């Protein structure tokens, strides 16, 4: 095997592939070959680097040069300058949005400085379609240790001692969950990996499966050995074609190497994995709904108990963990429970992966230690708010979470602290908003999602959330009364207390948190028929400021409904009865003569 002097790692995650990252990879391989460098330079497609804002990304090893926003046409210059002449291509290096400093090495970037990558440890470093690269990164060592050196009870205790809690949103102690399943008798048991990731803006589990699928397979084998299960099922939404393809490759490779199937590593333990597809229903992230979907039934939740550990898939004892939870498992056995427990807070150990999105400079996938503050995540890792605007709020936990304000920025991020301030960890979505975002509209957006995704089994969720959405819609249109605000809060609390599953119980969180933290906005919408952020179309007016208007006609020429009148070099006016509030006049005016009132 050739010993390469240089490795060029190309992000092969969905985000970068959507920006021609796959074409970039092929062009780079072709150019390296044409220059006769194929024995010196290895081009590798990897999983997600996390820095999605600046993709596609090419990372050069061993000097750790980090090229951002690379286009297929940049390939010749990268090979000619970096591979042949040993000079970095300066124009493709990252520029810090705050300091304006050009940074070549990713280790010097604020985005990575405070991250600790455990679940994401191999993403962006190895070829996810090559099992040998996973093996070279301590892959399957933890499985070998557990199967050949430990008893199930001993391995479960190690997981309990680590303090790992489920990363799917519930935060239940993983080791305790395994222990319960291990004690339930059954002729057949199942291990289920929940890869049904449905939160708006969330892509944590997808990225792990795309970048490091073997870590999930290894963890599932360990889980199966601990609870006495011989079959594993990965429930993944069909909208994740790249993750599915890489999972299939990983499963076949693991079988070929004897790491799945009969008598794994000569231990006498049998375990194999199958993939089951979901149709993209958000409610199927709840474990009982997920199990029913895998059985061919409607994806609806059921009352617990019995819990899946008692009666799960096909009525058999079943353990369900999500992708990120499983991704932590091999590291815990390789480095020890004590090491893992040393990271994080007293009740929330380890790290958490977040999909950082919204009005922020550094959009991407991050993994941070529990206990880091929202301020550190948003203003140091995230690089602050885009375009120098003011921070408004951050939504954590997706549709199930809440909107937190500036007063919460120093809150340490963990399961308990987020609950105390009216939000939650959830699966890891984190959406940042600026001064232009209307918090009533944000609550309405999440309620719209919840109404669409409700399975309809229980009335509080099916009917109640629809009524909540209608109340919010009235508010954003300036048609609501003060009584509607009281009804909004009361109905939210009823839905929270009476819904069947977690989807309904947490669906009012965006409403309650925005009412708690931004009540002045609700009052402005109701009493003044005014949207302070200027984003509710029914409550805004576009007007022309006389002293600024020069009569250039740009606003009139670009108005799609011809509601702006005025001669050239004369004051223009807007007919409010015809205006559809599209904003074209504001966008095209170069003299600040159009304002939102």
């Amino acid at each position: 095997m050739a010993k390469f002097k240089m490795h060029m790692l190309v992000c092969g995650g969905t985000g970068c592939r959507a920006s021609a990252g796959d074409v970039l990879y092929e062009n780079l391989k072709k150019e390296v070959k044409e220059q006769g460098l194929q024995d010196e330079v290895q081009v590798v497609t990897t999983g997600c680097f996390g820095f999605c804002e600046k993709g596609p990304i090419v990372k050069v090893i061993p000097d750790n040069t980090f090229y951002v926003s690379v286009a297929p046409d940049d390939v010749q210059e990268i090979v000619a300058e970096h591979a042949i002449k040993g000079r970095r291509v300066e124009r493709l290096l990252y520029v810090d949005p705050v300091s304006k400093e050009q940074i070549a090495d990713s280790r010097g970037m604020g985005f990575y400085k405070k991250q600790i990558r455990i679940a994401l440890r191999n993403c962006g470093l190895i070829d996810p379609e090559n099992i040998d690269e996973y093996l070279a990164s301590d892959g399957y060592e933890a499985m070998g240790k557990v199967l050949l050196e430990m008893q199930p009870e001993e391995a479960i205790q190690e997981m309990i001692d680590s303090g790992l809690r489920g990363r799917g949103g519930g935060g239940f102690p993983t080791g305790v969950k395994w222990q319960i399943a291990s004690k339930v008798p059954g002729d057949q048991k199942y291990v289920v990996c929940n890869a049904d990731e449905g939160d708006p803006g969330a892509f944590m589990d997808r990225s792990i499966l795309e970048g490091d699928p073997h870590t999930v397979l290894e963890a599932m084998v360990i889980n199966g050995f601990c609870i006495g299960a011989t079959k594993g099922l990965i429930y993944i939404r069909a909208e994740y074609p790249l993750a599915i393809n890489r999972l299939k490759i990983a499963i076949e490779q693991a079988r070929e190497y004897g790491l799945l199937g009969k008598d794994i590593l000569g231990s006498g333990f049998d375990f194999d994995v199958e993939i089951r597809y979901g149709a993209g229903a958000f409610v199927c992230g709840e474990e009982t709904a997920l199990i029913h979907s895998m059985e061919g039934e409607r994806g609806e939740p059921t009352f617990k108990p019995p819990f899946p550990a008692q009666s799960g898939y096909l009525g058999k004892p079943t353990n369900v963990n999500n992708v990120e939870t499983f991704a932590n498992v091999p590291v815990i056995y390789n480095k020890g429970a004590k090491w893992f427990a040393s990271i994080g807070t007293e009740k929330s150990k380890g790290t958490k992966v977040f999909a950082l999105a919204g009005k922020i400079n550094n959009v991407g996938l991050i993994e941070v230690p529990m206990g880091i503050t929202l301020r550190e995540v948003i203003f140091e890792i995230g690089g602050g708010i885009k375009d120098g605007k003011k921070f408004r709020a951050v939504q954590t936990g997706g549709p199930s979470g809440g909107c937190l304000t500036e007063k919460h920025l120093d809150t340490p991020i963990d399961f308990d602290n987020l609950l105390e301030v009216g939000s939650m960890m959830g699966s890891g979505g984190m959406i940042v908003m600026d001064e232009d975002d209307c918090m009533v509209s944000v609550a309405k957006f999440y309620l719209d999602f919840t109404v669409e995704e409700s399975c309809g089994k229980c009335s509080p969720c099916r009917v109640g959330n629809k009524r909540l959405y209608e109340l919010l819609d009235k508010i954003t249109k300036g048609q609501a009364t003060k009584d509607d605000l009281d009804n909004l809060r009361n109905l939210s609390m009823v839905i929270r207390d009476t819904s069947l599953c977690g989807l309904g119980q947490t669906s009012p969180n965006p409403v309650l948190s925005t009412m708690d933290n931004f009540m002045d906005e609700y009052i402005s919408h109701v009493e003044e028929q005014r949207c302070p952020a200027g984003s509710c179309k029914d409550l805004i007016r576009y007007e022309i400021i006389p002293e600024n208007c020069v009569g250039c006609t740009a606003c009139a020429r670009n108005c799609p409904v011809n509601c702006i009148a005025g001669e050239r070099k004369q004051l223009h006016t807007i007919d409010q009865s015809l205006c559809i509030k599209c904003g074209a006049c504001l966008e095209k005016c170069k003299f600040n003569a159009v304002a939102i009132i």
Side-chain angles (χ1 to χ4, degrees), residues 503-520:
L503 185 148
Q505 292 161 8
T506 59
S507 60
N509 282 353
V511 178
L512 292 171
S513 65
T514 50
M515 292 190 81
D516 288 341
N517 296 314
F518 300 96
M519 193 61 186
D520 57 327

Side-chain angles (χ1 to χ4, degrees), residues 110-243:
F111 182 77
Y112 289 107
K113 277 183 178 179
K114 291 197 172 184
Q115 292 196 48
I116 299 177
R117 294 167 75 87
I118 299 176
L120 300 177
R121 63 195 179 280
N122 290 324
C123 293
L125 291 178
I126 67 171
D127 180 352
E129 298 182 15
N130 187 340
I131 190 173
D132 291 327
E133 294 202 12
Y134 181 69
L135 291 171
S137 303
D138 300 328
Y140 291 103
E141 281 192 13
M143 186 184 80
K145 177 181 178 181
V146 172
L147 265 56
L148 301 177
E149 300 176 16
M150 303 177 78
Q151 294 299 314
E153 298 80 7
E154 184 184 358
I156 290 173
Q157 190 59 51
E158 185 81 355
M159 187 55 58
I160 293 173
D161 293 343
S162 73
L164 176 66
R165 294 171 65 175
R167 300 303 198 240
F172 192 82
T174 304
V176 174
K177 199 173 194 180
W178 291 13
Q179 189 177 60
I180 293 170
S182 71
K183 292 181 178 179
V184 178
D187 57 338
Q188 177 64 60
K189 296 184 180 182
Y190 293 92
V191 170
V192 173
C193 175
N194 180 356
D196 188 69
E197 185 175 49
D199 286 16
F203 49 97
M204 299 78 60
D205 292 350
R206 186 198 74 201
S207 295
I208 292 171
L209 291 174
E210 290 176 356
D212 194 15
H214 283 284
T215 193
V216 174
L217 300 182
E218 181 178 9
M220 290 178 72
V221 176
I222 293 172
N223 186 189
F225 175 77
C226 288
I227 71 170
T230 59
K231 293 185 179 179
L233 303 166
I234 299 176
Y235 183 81
I236 184 169
R237 52 181 48 215
E239 295 100 318
Y240 283 180
L242 182 59

